Amino acid sequence: MKIDSYRRVGSIEEAYELLTEKSGAAIIGGGAWLKLMPKTIDTAIDLSDLGLDKVTGLENEYEIGCMVKLRQLEKFTPFQMIFDGILIQSAGSIMGVTVRNIATAGGTVAGKYGFSDLLPVLLAMDAEVELYKRGRLKLEQFMDETGVLKDILTRIYIRKTEGRGWFYTMKNTAIDFPILNAAITSSQKGCRIVIGARPYKAALAKKAMQFIDRIEKPGEVEIIEAANIAAGELKFGSNQRGSSDYRRELCITFVKRGLRKVLL
Amino acid sequence: MKIKIKINGTIKTINVKADEYLVDTLRNNGCVSVRRGCDTTSCGICTVLLDGAPVASCSYLSCRADSHEVTTVEGIQEEAALIADFFGHEGADQCGYCNPSMALTLYAMKRELKNPDDDEIRAYLVGNLCRCSGYVAQHRAIRAYLEVE
Ligand SMILES: Cc1cc2nc3c(=O)[nH]c(=O)nc-3n(C[C@H](O)[C@H](O)[C@H](O)COP(=O)(O)OP(=O)(O)OC[C@H]3O[C@@H](n4cnc5c(N)ncnc54)[C@H](O)[C@@H]3O)c2cc1C
Ligand code: FES
Ligand code: FES
């Protein structure tokens, strides 16, 4: 990555003006991923001085500023109380401490990376994002949108929901990208089953969710059926870490394990 | 761009390029213990402490370090010598390439984690690669170091 000029802004409006002024402008989160990209940034926009580096507990939800580091998420102990601490587990599974002290929640969500370990968990928690101009929307909707983001992701919101959660990421080594990951939650609203690193971006297994939610007291038979439905409805691809067939098999195993944990 | 940065206790005003990384700024300013390995946040060799927390300096923009405090091994020499003693005693190092980053990471770990167990120690060290030692002797040395009051 090459940067022509670097601007530490004093307001979000200033950041937005700079971002929309030139096509080559970009928000710098931690800059860890951007660094690996072969591109030139005209104006690198740094939001460090805007107080967006805090996790705040509100009445019914938590507000995560976009500049919050993955390490902060991992160390924020109240998250242990939500869905069995899957947010802490997933943040802590990403690379080493030296990276997690750089990479941000905002850069992770804005990037919509297929390999992300955090996005499946945020989707399973039914998180919302706040864009400076557009306001709040479901992360699920944000993830479905394609094209260049010409807005600033300012905050992420997680409701204080009671429920069970399960997260698993399978990697060849602790500092490799995942071969496949999964996040599964169950609450009064039903089950959410999310599979990531397929290697495509994380997606909900909606048919499997509908199937399991229709059953009053799901047991082992229904869990196996739901796992097969999930593997059938999602698309899997091949790369050097695993073939699509292998990933599909892993998906069945992960969904079975996760549903057992959150339902039985 | 001009940045003001405290390096090992001394405040310096330095001119940096918009896309300069901390590893280069520090090396250009006398901290040659900071090394570059993979340059992609994967090996940990370039670790420095930013406000006390370990970061990969190969991927940390110098502009972002403006008004912050950076510590390299040059700034913790006594503690680094103590760590080196434990490593030497356990036969835990060979070429020494990873020693500065390992020393800084352990220094930070000791201050951040209270009585870590073996798994917590290993988790904290993820991404600090050593291509010589095989980690077992290192782990013994780390345990001994953490027991020092
Ligand atoms: C070597 C390496 C290995 C990794 N391995 C894994 C892994 O195994 N699992 C995993 O989950 N993650 C992994 N990551 C990704 C990491 O967790 C982060 O998701 C990634 O670095 C992006 O975060 P960042 O803060 O560095 O974003 P940046 O690199 O700063 O930005 C990423 C993108 O988002 C944009 N952006 C940043 N902030 C905002 C904002 N507030 N509003 C709008 N746009 C914004 C930027 O312009 C850019 O396009 C890895 C990263 C690296 C460098
Ligand atoms: S050189 Fe920075 S992590 Fe390898
Ligand atoms: S002692 Fe040689 S790399 Fe660690």
Side-chain angles (χ1 to χ4, degrees):
Chain A
M1 168 182 68
K2 284 200 180 324
I3 300 176
D4 289 340
S5 79
Y6 193 94
R7 289 282 293 275
R8 208 155 155 157
V9 293
S11 72
I12 198 81
E13 184 56 38
E14 184 188 351
Y16 185 74
E17 273 170 25
L18 286 170
L19 182 67
T20 45
E21 205 172 78
K22 285 186 188 166
S23 64
I27 306 287
I28 302 276
W33 191 256
L34 270 177
K35 181 199 162 157
L36 306 177
M37 297 294 103
K39 65 178 185 186
T40 298
I41 295 175
D42 290 336
T43 313
I45 305 159
D46 184 345
L47 311 176
S48 291
D49 295 336
L50 306 186
L52 292 165
D53 56 351
K54 292 178 203 68
V55 183
T56 314
L58 306 174
E59 196 183 343
N60 298 316
E61 59 190 355
Y62 287 102
E63 179 188 279
I64 302 168
C66 62
M67 294 302 283
V68 166
K69 311 281 187 305
L70 299 183
R71 182 77 175 148
Q72 280 173 269
L73 291 181
E74 182 191 351
K75 289 177 74 175
F76 189 74
T77 46
F79 286 152
Q80 283 293 8
M81 307 305 290
I82 307 179
F83 293 121
D84 295 314
I86 53 175
L87 190 62
I88 289 179
Q89 292 161 32
S90 83
S93 74
I94 297 168
M95 298 292 285
V97 170
T98 56
V99 179
R100 301 202 293 275
N101 276 327
I102 298 177
T104 60
T108 297
V109 175
K112 302 182 186 176
Y113 304 110
F115 56 74
S116 177
D117 288 304
L118 202 67
L119 284 168
V121 165
L122 291 173
L123 278 169
M125 293 173 118
D126 201 10
E128 290 182 18
V129 296
E130 178 188 77
L131 300 177
Y132 172 57
K133 280 292 162 191
R134 272 178 71 189
R136 271 174 81 153
L137 65 154
K138 291 253 183 215
L139 172 63
E140 200 180 320
Q141 184 189 341
F142 177 70
M143 289 288 290
D144 281 343
E145 294 174 357
T146 50
V148 180
L149 178 66
K150 272 290 172 193
D151 204 339
I152 301 167
L153 195 155
T154 43
R155 294 176 184 86
I156 299 157
Y157 292 91
I158 292 168
R159 262 192 306 282
K160 293 179 181 171
T161 311
E162 289 208 9
R164 303 299 312 272
W166 182 86
F167 166 75
Y168 190 73
T169 180
M170 184 157 153
K171 302 183 179 195
N172 284 323
T173 72
I175 55 168
D176 198 4
F177 292 118
I179 301 169
L180 195 79
N181 56 28
I184 298 178
T185 55
S186 112
S187 68
Q188 269 195 334
K189 283 188 164 176
C191 270
R192 288 176 74 86
I193 302 171
V194 187
I195 308 293
R198 297 171 294 118
Y200 314 113
K201 66 185 176 189
L204 291 148
K206 289 188 180 163
K207 288 182 185 161
M209 283 157 51
Q210 278 161 10
F211 169 80
I212 207 79
D213 280 349
R214 274 203 301 267
I215 293 158
E216 206 178 319
K217 263 194 166 295
E220 186 62 18
V221 174
E222 290 81 15
I223 285 176
I224 294 171
E225 180 63 16
N228 286 319
I229 295 172
E233 70 178 297
L234 293 172
K235 188 175 150 204
F236 298 89
S238 302
N239 62 11
Q240 72 270 41
R241 287 182 181 78
S243 65
S244 57
D245 287 346
Y246 179 53
R247 287 189 158 100
R248 192 169 293 110
E249 289 301 320
L250 285 181
C251 171
I252 294 173
T253 304
F254 288 5
V255 175
K256 279 196 284 196
R257 284 187 192 168
L259 285 177
R260 280 183 199 129
K261 169 78 193 301
V262 303
L263 293 176
L264 299 184
Chain B
M1 180 177 168
K2 262 202 174 76
I3 60 165
K4 206 181 227 180
I5 168 173
K6 198 178 200 181
I7 303 176
N8 297 323
T10 307
I11 295 175
K12 295 194 175 188
T13 304
I14 304 170
N15 250 322
V16 295
K17 288 188 260 162
D19 49 11
E20 185 170 321
Y21 286 95
L22 205 45
V23 61
D24 297 307
T25 308
L26 291 169
R27 286 186 67 83
N28 292 340
N29 283 275
C31 300
V32 287
S33 69
V34 186
R35 293 155 186 183
R36 177 181 263 116
C38 65
D39 208 21
T40 60
T41 60
S42 301
C43 73
I45 287 297
C46 64
T47 300
V48 299
L49 306 185
L50 190 103
D51 301 329
V55 297
S57 64
C58 70
S59 299
Y60 199 91
L61 284 162
S62 300
C63 294
R64 176 119 335 145
D66 188 23
S67 311
H68 289 275
E69 184 171 352
V70 176
T71 308
T72 69
V73 141
E74 286 87 346
I76 58 154
Q77 290 207 2
E78 257 182 45
E79 193 101 354
L82 177 69
I83 294 168
D85 277 350
F86 282 110
F87 271 56
H89 185 73
E90 292 293 346
D93 66 349
Q94 288 177 32
C95 76
Y97 195 70
C98 65
N99 286 12
S101 55
M102 194 61 88
L104 285 163
T105 308
L106 297 180
Y107 179 87
M109 183 206 287
K110 194 166 180 174
R111 278 146 190 83
E112 194 176 333
L113 306 184
K114 298 281 162 262
N115 303 317
D117 60 25
D118 287 344
D119 286 343
E120 287 169 314
I121 293 173
R122 286 191 197 101
Y124 202 91
L125 290 173
V126 161
N128 280 269
L129 303 187
C130 171
R131 279 299 169 251
C132 302
S133 75
Y135 303 111
V136 176
Q138 279 192 352
H139 195 82
R140 283 197 305 268
I142 292 164
R143 281 245 69 112
Y145 163 66
L146 291 177
E147 272 154 30
V148 177
E149 290 295 321

